[in-house]
Amino acid sequence: MPLAKLPATTAKCATCDRWSGTRRAIDDGVEFDDREAQGQCVGGPWDGNVRDPLTRCGRWVQWLRKF
């Protein structure tokens, strides 16, 4: 499983509170499988649409579970 990592402050879906994809919090950001990760936008401008973890939009909200 190839893992990708993003800093917590990178405004991409993988670090957004509204993204439902599989990811794991690490000390300075998030880690996810860059081939398998997909998730729905929940409550954002793309609500209900499946989004890639590296997609971005203008309504990013930092994932607060760890940070």
Side-chain angles (χ1 to χ4, degrees):
M1 165 169 93
L3 296 177
K5 296 177 183 180
L6 289 176
T9 57
T10 303
K12 302 265 185 163
C13 287
T15 60
C16 183
D17 193 50
R18 296 177 169 141
W19 189 69
S20 69
T22 302
R23 58 193 161 180
R24 183 173 75 92
I26 56 175
D27 288 337
D28 58 348
V30 298
E31 184 175 71
F32 56 92
D33 181 339
D34 67 347
R35 285 195 218 162
E36 303 289 326
Q38 293 271 318
Q40 279 192 344
C41 178
V42 180
W46 299 99
D47 190 39
N49 289 314
V50 174
R51 309 300 291 167
D52 182 84
L54 298 178
T55 303
R56 66 172 61 197
C57 78
R59 299 218 179 139
W60 177 81
V61 176
Q62 188 176 20
W63 188 37
L64 300 175
R65 293 183 184 187
K66 171 80 175 174
F67 317 104

